[in-house]
Amino acid sequence: MSALQRGRFITLEGGEGAGKTTAMQVVIDWLEQDGRTVVRSREPGGTRAAERIREVLLDPSTGELDPLSELLLMFAARVENLVHVIRPTLAKGQDVVCDRFTDASAAYQGGGRELGPEPIRRLAGLVHPDLAPDLTLLLDVPVAVGLARIRNRTTGPDRIEQAREGFLERVRKAYLAMAEAEPERFCVIDASQPLDKVRADIQRALDRRLR
Ligand code: T5A
């Protein structure tokens, strides 16, 4: 009997208000039409414990956190998601689509909070040395456009969204630098376009990268 092939691991990344929620549905629909079984997850989050860690990270009442504590909490949630959701699903030959993963730590804590790439590289080496996304869709949008979109939300900004605009510019710059360094894994989508164009670009990217 041949060994079961592991499922595909696809991640969605981008700054605030980039449109990951819509993109998630496009990716899931595409994979399901291709006959795949798909499990969705998100970070921080994905399991009950990781969702509790998410609350601490995003609730404004947590107040200021040292950037390293913030990073370690992101990775604590990631371990839970990997152990209980991502790895078992991939091992069954099913696909995982995850709203953010380690690239978000590199962009937000490494870039935005200015910890630099080294702590993220070391933690990723500890937590998932053998696993990287097969495809990462980076939804790129100018900071001001993303912020204008989320301003329409009824809920106020979460703790991380409360950071100053310079922070989000550094996040965007870090994401684009990662995409440039790893073009075989990343696919950058211009998320400032109207939704139907974004949707079409994602479908084209999936046709090109996954078929
Ligand atoms: N984080 C996370 C870290 O700092 N480190 C880490 O390691 C990890 C894993 C998580 C937060 O944690 C941080 C990053 C985040 O700050 P989140 O919920 O994943 O929070 O992320 P958010 O970016 O905050 O989610 P948002 O809901 O703000 O953004 P989305 O999901 O990208 O945007 P979406 O799809 O909800 O769209 C926002 C609005 O824009 C509209 C939508 O209809 C919606 O109203 N929109 C468009 N409008 C016009 N044209 C388009 N093309 C549009 N696309 C979307």
Side-chain angles (χ1 to χ4, degrees), residues 13-23 42-45 54 57-58 70-71 74-75 78 99-109 113 139 145-146 149-150 152-153 158 160-161 167-168 175 190-196 198:
E13 298 285 356
E16 306 299 317
K20 289 179 288 87
T21 311
T22 313
R42 69 170 181 179
E43 294 207 349
R54 179 186 177 93
L57 279 161
L58 300 189
E70 190 174 274
L71 177 67
M74 292 292 177
F75 267 92
R78 185 158 299 134
D99 184 343
R100 300 190 185 280
F101 190 61
T102 294
D103 296 320
S105 299
Y108 280 78
Q109 282 68 50
R113 302 280 194 226
L139 295 156
V145 175
R149 288 180 186 165
I150 61 173
N152 299 329
R153 276 193 318 220
D158 66 39
I160 292 176
E161 287 166 357
F167 168 86
L168 293 176
Y175 267 135
D190 176 0
S192 64
Q193 308 175 93
L195 266 177
D196 56 338
V198 174

Side-chain angles (χ1 to χ4, degrees), residues 135-208:
L135 173 66
T136 298
L137 295 175
L138 171 58
L139 295 156
D140 179 54
V141 72
V143 170
V145 175
L147 284 178
R149 288 180 186 165
I150 61 173
R151 229 168 261 137
N152 299 329
R153 276 193 318 220
T154 48
T155 52
D158 66 39
R159 199 186 59 82
I160 292 176
E161 287 166 357
Q162 286 176 338
R164 287 182 224 283
E165 208 158 295
F167 168 86
L168 293 176
E169 292 292 356
R170 289 195 295 278
V171 168
R172 184 177 186 214
K173 201 168 148 208
Y175 267 135
L176 290 172
M178 284 188 277
E180 205 180 317
E182 272 190 86
E184 63 298 335
R185 172 165 73 85
F186 275 91
C187 183
V188 183
I189 304 288
D190 176 0
S192 64
Q193 308 175 93
L195 266 177
D196 56 338
K197 288 215 157 171
V198 174
R199 213 173 273 130
D201 280 2
I202 294 172
Q203 282 161 343
R204 248 194 311 275
L206 295 169
D207 287 342
R208 214 174 46 239

Side-chain angles (χ1 to χ4, degrees), residues 81-140:
N81 196 22
L82 277 162
V83 169
H84 298 291
V85 181
I86 298 174
R87 287 188 191 282
T89 304
L90 296 177
K92 278 191 276 185
Q94 299 174 354
D95 295 341
V96 175
V97 185
C98 197
D99 184 343
R100 300 190 185 280
F101 190 61
T102 294
D103 296 320
S105 299
Y108 280 78
Q109 282 68 50
R113 302 280 194 226
E114 300 183 283
L115 283 176
E118 193 51 23
I120 291 89
R121 201 187 59 74
R122 287 169 68 178
L123 286 164
L126 178 72
V127 168
H128 55 89
D130 52 341
L131 180 69
D134 299 300
L135 173 66
T136 298
L137 295 175
L138 171 58
L139 295 156
D140 179 54

